[in-house]
Amino acid sequence: MAPTGEQHLLSTEIVNRGTEPSGCISFSVRVRRRLPDFLQSVNLKYVKLGYRYLINHGVFLAAVPVLVLVFGAEVGRFIREELWPKLWDTTAGYDLVFVLVTVAVFIFTLSYYLFSTPRSIYLIDFACFKPDDDLKVTKEEFIELARKSGKFDEASLEFQKKILESSGIGDETYVPKTIGLPENISTMKEGRAEASMVIFGALDELFEKTGIQPKDVGVLVVNCSVFNPTPSISAMIINHYKMRGDILSFNLGGMGCSAGVIAVDLARDMLQANANNVAVVVSTEIVGYNWYPGRDRSMLIPNCFFRMGCSALLLSNRRRDYRRAKYRLEHIVRTHKGGNDSSFRSVYQEEDPQRFKGLKISKDLVEIGGDAIKTNITTLGPLVLPFSEQLLFFSTLIKRYLSGTIKHEHGVTTPGNSSEQLPSPSSSSSTKPYIPDYKLAFEHFCIHAASKTVVNELQRNLGLSDANMEASRATLHRFGNTSSSSIWYELAYMEAKGAVKRGDRVWQLTFGSGFKCNSAVWKSVRLMEKPSANNPWLDCIDRYPTEAFSHSSQV
């Protein structure tokens, strides 16, 4: 399963209580259900990083139009005061060289501005794969498939059942039925078969919706975390659709649930370097190939959460595509904590004592994930928050810094060894941190649907409403954790509800192994009056939000 933040979902500790008189091994599960409060302690260097990012990307583009206006005004003054009167005075001469130099400087400045401005990246459309109904399972059927495989003892089955009960996952998610087979299903043959089904299903729908021919695609980026065959998945797509020979193709592996935004970032860079082009980004995870058949309970958690899914999106840098595009890419902010050993090993693929491969989940994952998310949103804030919110947040931050409530950190923060001190009860009461209202920056939130616990905790930390988290909860309930594609199922949910209006801003927040946290900000460029015919939510959108959501924020 994609190494990811769903393992935030639960930081689980397994305690073996020995053997009961009946001979059954008993165990208990302790779950850490709270992420750290992001804004009780804020790292000043990441605030500075956000403002540095804003300055680097904004000051030049803001200054060049001023220069253009200055030169324009100078040319206008010269024409009005010097050139125009002298045109009527045939006996007077004027400095033709000065006129030509002024016009040349003006044209050069304007051209430099136009060529230096990054090309806008448009999201033409996207598709989310919806498997056939014969792959749909309830939670009870899931446990029965696991029991039928004969790979788990009763203790392991009972553990998975308890996890599912508190997962936030509903009874209509999709899994390959091969997980119920007694033989080994983690084979290349099974992996390629599942990859072909979900990826080609999503791409067929994308090409149909956009009218783009596969041979027109100039850039292809695919991300799938654990299943990485040779030839690569990107080569498999090129072969299937007979794409052109000069296509720029990339295959991202081992990057977890946050890889969807990373893939978009790479596609954006490729489009910036290659004018008049379109790019396809495919995000997926292969469930059957990553099925863990062992008994290590920390490795059984991904089995409970991951479900089949795939997204495919079409990006363009062609200005003529603005009229038919849905969204324009505004910002991408990426955070990587892999320089720290604890973060690097927080979600770690390895073999258990029985030599079965699985994802080992660190007991410190909640703290590590919270730190990465806090860093990312702190850097993102200066780019998206209104000036009033930035002023309140920054003034409160400086006040707390000067009072010694928080300390300036130059190193790397690690759980259990942080120079970023939490405030004492007395200090926090006098200098309470100001939490920016991100609802003023965005109309819609697509937060990775890792688990009910993670969604609840992010809602609490960011001060979001149930309506803001509705798409995440609905996606988790209906489709489960589909890894890097989950944020696109969430956006499809919003479109099915008719919630996205022209000018609305969408924040996609993802997190996963490494440990990484990434944000993408999109702006809607047209009104979407009704969802597309292939929207995966059309047959069930009227059932959401469910009644269970009214209690979902209770942790």
Side-chain angles (χ1 to χ4, degrees):
M1 249 30 50
T4 163
E6 52 280 357
Q7 291 90 341
H8 284 330
L9 26 133
L10 307 165
S11 178
T12 308
E13 300 177 24
I14 310 302
V15 181
N16 191 333
R17 290 184 173 176
T19 305
E20 295 181 345
S22 61
C24 297
I25 297 176
S26 98
F27 62 90
S28 65
V29 182
R30 291 202 299 264
V31 179
R32 301 184 182 185
R33 292 189 173 274
R34 286 196 177 274
L35 296 173
D37 289 331
F38 298 154
L39 296 168
Q40 290 296 324
S41 60
V42 176
N43 194 323
L44 286 178
K45 76 175 184 178
Y46 296 119
V47 177
K48 293 192 298 182
L49 179 63
Y51 282 103
R52 188 182 306 125
Y53 185 97
L54 179 65
I55 291 171
N56 290 343
H57 290 74
V59 167
F60 173 74
L61 296 182
V64 172
V66 174
L67 295 176
V68 172
L69 291 176
V70 170
F71 282 117
E74 182 63 24
V75 171
R77 184 195 64 79
F78 177 79
I79 292 176
R80 184 178 63 257
E81 298 179 4
E82 301 291 336
L83 180 59
W84 184 255
K86 293 177 180 180
L87 288 176
W88 299 98
D89 186 359
T90 57
T91 62
Y94 55 86
D95 193 346
L96 182 60
V97 174
F98 178 77
V99 174
L100 293 177
V101 169
T102 303
V103 172
V105 170
F106 173 78
I107 293 175
F108 173 79
T109 305
L110 181 62
S111 301
Y112 190 70
Y113 169 71
L114 293 176
F115 283 105
S116 299
T117 303
R119 284 178 172 268
S120 294
I121 304 300
Y122 300 107
L123 172 60
I124 305 301
D125 211 333
F126 65 96
C128 296
F129 177 70
K130 182 180 177 183
D132 294 334
D133 286 345
D134 61 345
L135 299 177
K136 188 182 297 184
V137 297
T138 64
K139 291 189 285 289
E140 290 76 12
E141 290 171 341
F142 179 88
I143 296 299
E144 286 306 311
L145 281 172
R147 177 178 283 109
K148 181 182 176 182
S149 70
K151 298 169 183 174
F152 307 103
D153 57 18
E154 285 300 319
S156 298
L157 292 171
E158 185 64 24
F159 175 83
Q160 293 180 77
K161 184 177 180 180
K162 290 181 180 295
I163 294 295
L164 281 172
E165 288 174 354
S166 60
S167 65
I169 293 176
D171 289 327
E172 294 184 284
T173 59
Y174 304 91
V175 297
K177 292 302 176 67
T178 54
I179 66 174
L181 298 177
E183 58 265 23
N184 177 28
I185 63 171
S186 299
T187 64
M188 283 293 173
K189 179 180 179 181
E190 293 293 343
R192 284 192 173 97
E194 183 181 339
S196 297
M197 176 176 59
V198 298
I199 293 174
F200 298 155
L203 285 173
D204 287 346
E205 179 184 334
L206 179 71
F207 292 138
E208 179 183 352
K209 292 169 70 172
T210 60
I212 291 290
Q213 298 300 315
K215 289 187 179 295
D216 296 332
V217 177
V219 179
L220 174 65
V221 183
V222 181
N223 70 269
C224 182
S225 187
V226 180
F227 179 61
N228 291 289
T230 300
S232 66
I233 298 177
S234 60
M236 183 176 71
I237 294 173
I238 293 171
N239 174 263
H240 179 80
Y241 290 101
K242 309 306 177 187
M243 292 179 166
R244 68 196 204 198
D246 62 344
I247 188 171
L248 302 175
S249 67
F250 302 88
N251 200 95
L252 306 180
M255 305 196 77
C257 292
S258 63
V261 173
I262 298 174
V264 171
D265 192 22
L266 176 57
R268 177 187 65 172
D269 290 344
M270 292 299 101
L271 289 176
Q272 295 289 4
N274 296 272
N276 196 35
N277 224 321
V278 295
V280 167
V281 177
V282 178
S283 299
T284 190
E285 194 53 69
I286 306 306
V287 176
Y289 183 80
N290 301 317
W291 183 253
Y292 172 68
R295 299 181 180 182
D296 187 320
R297 289 172 176 80
S298 65
M299 294 182 176
L300 284 171
I301 293 176
N303 283 8
C304 301
F305 283 94
F306 282 98
R307 296 295 186 265
M308 297 174 68
C310 179
S311 65
L313 45 148
L314 182 69
L315 302 175
S316 173
N317 61 8
R318 303 182 301 195
R319 291 186 175 90
R320 67 175 181 270
D321 285 332
Y322 171 81
R323 294 184 178 275
R324 68 187 190 114
K326 283 187 172 182
Y327 304 93
R328 182 177 64 241
L329 182 60
E330 298 285 304
H331 304 289
I332 289 181
V333 174
R334 293 169 55 182
T335 300
H336 204 306
K337 295 288 185 176
N340 174 264
D341 290 343
S342 298
S343 296
F344 175 71
R345 297 186 67 92
S346 60
V347 182
Y348 200 77
Q349 187 181 23
E350 60 183 8
E351 292 86 7
D352 67 5
Q354 296 175 282
R355 309 298 295 173
F356 292 126
K357 292 192 297 292
L359 295 175
K360 191 74 172 181
I361 302 172
S362 168
K363 61 183 177 61
D364 295 323
L365 183 62
V366 170
E367 291 85 353
I368 291 169
D371 182 62
I373 296 172
K374 180 183 68 176
T375 299
N376 187 265
I377 64 176
T378 303
T379 306
L380 178 68
L383 301 175
V384 297
L385 287 170
F387 179 75
S388 59
E389 287 296 298
Q390 294 191 46
L391 183 63
L392 288 171
F393 171 73
F394 195 71
S395 60
T396 306
L397 187 65
I398 293 299
K399 180 180 177 182
R400 298 178 71 236
Y401 175 69
L402 294 177
S403 66
T405 304
I406 60 176
K407 296 184 179 181
H408 195 175
E409 178 196 15
H410 295 282
V412 178
T413 302
T414 61
N417 185 28
S418 172
S419 61
E420 189 178 41
Q421 303 295 324
L422 288 174
S424 63
S426 59
S427 63
S428 62
S429 60
S430 59
T431 55
K432 185 177 180 180
Y434 177 74
I435 300 178
D437 187 357
Y438 281 88
K439 296 188 293 295
L440 297 177
F442 309 106
E443 284 74 32
H444 308 287
F445 297 80
C446 296
I447 295 176
H448 172 48
S451 75
K452 183 173 69 174
T453 300
V454 170
V455 172
N456 290 344
E457 283 300 294
L458 286 171
Q459 176 181 358
R460 179 179 65 84
N461 272 279
L462 296 176
L464 303 178
S465 66
D466 286 343
N468 296 142
M469 308 302 294
E470 183 180 314
S472 296
R473 291 193 173 103
T475 298
L476 181 65
H477 185 271
R478 176 63 181 83
F479 292 98
N481 185 337
T482 62
S483 188
S484 55
S485 64
S486 69
I487 54 176
W488 297 104
Y489 285 87
E490 294 169 27
L491 188 54
Y493 176 87
M494 296 172 184
E495 292 186 359
K497 283 286 187 180
V500 183
K501 311 299 181 185
R502 182 183 176 90
D504 284 359
R505 295 154 298 181
V506 180
W507 179 20
Q508 293 179 324
L509 177 65
T510 63
F511 33 87
S513 64
F515 196 91
K516 302 181 290 295
C517 180
N518 303 311
S519 290
V521 179
W522 303 86
K523 186 173 183 179
S524 173
V525 295
R526 66 178 171 90
L527 177 65
M528 282 156 274
E529 298 179 350
K530 59 181 181 179
S532 62
N534 295 322
N535 190 297
W537 293 92
L538 287 184
D539 65 339
C540 62
I541 191 63
D542 294 336
R543 305 201 307 265
Y544 289 91
T546 66
E547 293 181 2
F549 288 2
S550 61
H551 307 290
S552 59
S553 60
Q554 300 177 9
V555 182

